[in-house]
Amino acid sequence: MGYKVAVVGATGNVGREMLNILAERQFPADEVVALASRRSLGTEVSYGDETLKTKDLDQFDFTGFDMALFAIGSDATKTYAPKAAAAGCVVIDNSSLYRYDPDVPLVVPEVNPEAVDGYAKKNIIANPNCSTAQMVVALKPLHDRAGIKRVVVSTYQSVSGSGKDGIDELWNQTKGVYVPGQEVEPSVYPKQIAFNVIPHIDVFLDDGSTKEEWKMVAETKKIVDPSIKVTATCVRVPVFVGHAESINIETEDFLDDDEARDILREAPGLMVVDKREDGGYVTPVECVGDFATFISRIRQDSTIDNGLNFWCVSDNLRKGAALNAVQIAETLGVRMLKKG
């Protein structure tokens, strides 16, 4: 007997990817329903070889469903997630609404699978921010070996992190640069994104950081270890899909780059591509559609006693969102629900 699963927000980029990954990974589902807002009612979405017609989220009864994968943003989640949870359906939420709630586990299955066990307090599990998810997969095995004291990370985040509107703005602005009269003014972003980089993701906070940067700090502490100090600079770049991160860590114990490379090669969810030659590293366009988080450019930081630098790349629609949600569902099934 398999699971009954609802995908909420099935017509969006992340919702469609959730359906793709459920099918690709052969998740043991007896029934999968695609839910969306009333304006998208009846829209067809793919689930493996099947085509599903979306149903109206507002009218849907979650009773009898085991899990609901939410990809609809915080405002709508605030309305519908408690309804699903109250009906006995475990919500796996991709928004930021519940990430910092002490009664809601924030889970990356390669890092803290045991946290899933705490889902029952609210019947909700949170998916972390896309930039955090790929980073902590790499941090955890190094932290277990050498004890990470401090992380300095700069991100290079693709426009798909802003949804379809971000993708459209990059596409249209890029065309507009070359076609007189078709120039496109910024609307999704505060400045032109085509042929540019913008050191600003989410709103500014009082201390000068942005909320995206704050998320990476708070979520790393919740998922990996509250004692780790994190400072982040988050940058939007003109790439359609795939987030990249330049990560510097300082550890308690010495760890040379060869041992770090071996540790990361053995760690779940990671793939090391690190040749010290032209092209011996992974870039965002090469990671699109892949489940793995890729690590390259591993090297010592000679400016501190116990320091390492490395480059981290992942498909943000997969590990940063949809894949991690499905992995949470798999972990929840194995550890707690035990069906399928």
Side-chain angles (χ1 to χ4, degrees):
M1 183 178 178
Y3 297 99
K4 295 179 71 175
V5 180
V7 174
V8 182
T11 58
N13 289 339
V14 174
R16 290 176 186 271
E17 198 68 15
M18 286 174 171
L19 288 166
N20 289 337
I21 293 170
L22 285 167
E24 283 178 35
R25 293 174 71 92
Q26 299 182 321
F27 186 82
D30 282 349
E31 182 180 353
V32 175
V33 296
L35 304 179
S37 62
R38 190 163 299 168
R39 67 177 181 273
S40 299
L41 187 65
T43 300
E44 293 187 343
V45 291
S46 297
Y47 169 61
D49 295 332
E50 300 178 44
T51 299
L52 307 178
K53 285 191 174 182
T54 58
K55 298 182 178 182
D56 184 1
L57 170 60
D58 201 44
Q59 300 297 318
F60 188 74
D61 182 0
F62 287 92
T63 303
F65 276 75
D66 299 290
M67 307 175 194
L69 279 57
F70 271 60
I72 54 173
S74 295
D75 289 342
T77 297
K78 189 182 295 185
T79 299
Y80 296 104
K83 291 181 179 179
C89 177
V90 182
V91 171
I92 300 171
D93 178 34
N94 195 60
S95 81
S96 62
L97 182 63
Y98 294 104
R99 289 175 187 160
Y100 317 106
D101 186 328
D103 291 331
V104 174
L106 180 65
V107 178
V108 175
E110 297 94 335
V111 178
N112 62 337
E114 70 288 344
V116 162
D117 302 356
Y119 80 95
K121 290 181 180 178
K122 289 192 174 179
N123 242 20
I124 297 170
I125 301 170
N127 211 17
N129 188 41
C130 51
S131 52
T132 306
Q134 69 187 68
M135 182 174 75
V136 297
V137 174
L139 294 183
K140 181 59 163 61
L142 300 176
H143 183 58
D144 288 346
R145 161 61 181 83
I148 296 174
K149 295 165 57 178
R150 182 170 183 256
V151 178
V152 181
V153 56
S154 297
T155 71
Y156 306 75
Q157 295 179 227
S158 66
V159 295
S160 56
S162 304
K164 183 178 182 297
D165 290 343
I167 293 172
D168 289 345
E169 184 153 306
L170 173 58
W171 174 250
N172 291 326
Q173 278 185 354
T174 302
K175 288 191 297 181
V177 167
Y178 291 106
V179 183
Q182 292 191 19
E183 295 84 0
V184 174
E185 290 297 313
S187 59
V188 176
Y189 301 113
K191 297 198 177 192
Q192 176 182 311
I193 184 61
F195 306 98
N196 198 17
V197 298
I198 304 173
H200 170 197
I201 300 177
D202 213 323
V203 297
F204 276 95
L205 306 177
D206 290 342
D207 67 354
S209 63
T210 64
K211 193 171 181 183
E212 184 82 358
E213 292 156 358
W214 175 84
K215 288 174 187 176
M216 294 193 76
V217 175
E219 293 172 16
T220 300
K221 288 176 176 289
K222 185 171 180 178
I223 296 167
V224 183
D225 188 331
S227 69
I228 296 177
K229 296 178 180 180
V230 182
T231 182
T233 300
C234 294
V235 182
R236 190 72 70 189
V237 297
V239 170
F240 286 110
V241 178
H243 288 357
E245 298 171 349
S246 172
I247 301 172
N248 173 275
I249 63 170
E250 182 181 0
T251 57
E252 297 278 358
D253 301 328
F254 178 75
L255 179 63
D256 70 28
D257 54 311
D258 286 331
E259 186 181 358
R261 197 172 288 107
D262 290 341
I263 289 169
L264 294 169
R265 280 199 178 106
E266 296 298 318
L270 296 176
M271 185 170 292
V272 175
V273 178
D274 188 21
K275 298 178 181 179
R276 294 176 176 179
E277 60 187 41
D278 292 354
Y281 42 80
V282 175
T283 60
V285 292
E286 297 161 278
C287 76
V288 175
D290 206 297
F291 288 135
T293 294
F294 292 88
I295 306 297
S296 306
R297 301 292 321 280
I298 303 164
R299 61 205 189 278
Q300 304 291 153
D301 175 3
S302 61
T303 67
I304 51 177
D305 289 338
N306 300 328
L308 284 171
N309 293 300
F310 57 93
W311 176 250
C312 176
V313 177
S314 190
D315 182 332
N316 56 294
L317 298 179
R318 291 207 152 205
K319 187 55 189 169
L323 171 61
N324 200 71
V326 174
Q327 288 176 305
I328 290 172
E330 292 168 345
T331 305
L332 176 69
V334 169
R335 291 182 68 94
M336 306 301 294
L337 303 185
K338 303 183 188 303
K339 289 170 65 174

